[in-house]
Every structure is written in C-alpha cells, then in structure tokens.
Amino acid sequence: MTQILIKAVIGGAFIGLILWLSQTKLSYLAGLLLFFPIISLPTFFFLGSNGNGDRMRETIIWSFWAIPVWIAFASTLYWCSYRFKILPSILLSLLVWLVCATILVFVKKGF
C-alpha cells in the first residue's frame, strides 16, 4: 500500500511539474517531459530483470509501432482544440487512438 501511495504522489508531482512548466517561458520542456519514460522505464526494467529479454524486446518494438498511433491522437487533439471544448476534443482523440491502435494490432498480428 505504501508503494502505491508513493507512486501516486510522484505521479501527481510529475503532472504538477508539467502543468507548471506549460505556463512558463519553458513550456517546450512540458512537451518533452510528457515523453519522459516514467511508465516504460520501470516496465522495461522489470521485464528485463525477470530474465525475460525476449518479452522486453517485443514490448520495445511495439512501442516503436505505437508512435504513429500517439501522433494520430495528438494531431487530432491539436486540431480539435481549435474547434471544440476540451472534453469532446479528448474523447474524439481517444476514439482516434483506439481506432488506430486496433488497426495496428489487426495489421501486425494478422487477425
């Protein structure tokens, strides 16, 4: 329970840092920090430390394939932010992410 609480506090502080930076002259750093591997770093560490290098490498490859999916999400959110309020923009962007991710899985796995 303590580990979960610590991770929640660190995650909240990280989000707070990004929000604060986005409102300063250093707003470009907020965009860079969004890609800080706060989730992937521990994931890759635990996959690799469990002696499962093949799974770790497969996860890394899928991370590369996920970049265009994230770009579709971010591009949609950027475009929608000029036309809609934030909630519909985010929901539409998530829908685009879901469609692109589904297509990726079907194409790469051949379902």
Side-chain angles (χ1 to χ4, degrees):
M1 183 67 168
T2 303
Q3 285 184 342
I4 293 172
L5 184 59
I6 291 170
K7 290 175 185 176
V9 169
I10 291 171
F14 195 73
I15 291 169
L17 177 63
I18 291 171
L19 290 173
W20 175 75
L21 282 171
S22 70
Q23 297 174 10
T24 69
K25 291 181 180 181
L26 302 173
S27 61
Y28 58 91
L29 289 178
L32 287 173
L33 284 178
L34 284 173
F35 285 101
F36 182 78
I38 198 159
I39 293 173
S40 57
L41 186 65
T43 302
F44 293 144
F45 173 77
F46 288 118
L47 279 171
S49 66
N50 287 335
N52 204 339
D54 290 338
R55 287 288 182 201
M56 182 186 72
R57 286 184 287 278
E58 182 181 5
T59 304
I60 291 168
I61 295 297
W62 275 92
S63 298
F64 291 141
W65 284 107
I67 292 170
V69 174
W70 186 90
I71 290 172
F73 163 79
S75 300
T76 303
L77 185 56
Y78 183 82
W79 181 83
C80 287
S81 71
Y82 284 106
R83 289 155 182 84
F84 310 113
K85 293 183 178 183
I86 189 64
L87 187 57
S89 296
I90 289 175
L91 292 175
L92 183 58
S93 301
L94 286 173
L95 179 62
V96 167
W97 181 92
L98 182 62
V99 168
C100 291
T102 301
I103 291 169
L104 174 64
V105 169
F106 275 91
V107 168
K108 293 297 293 171
K109 285 299 202 178
F111 290 107

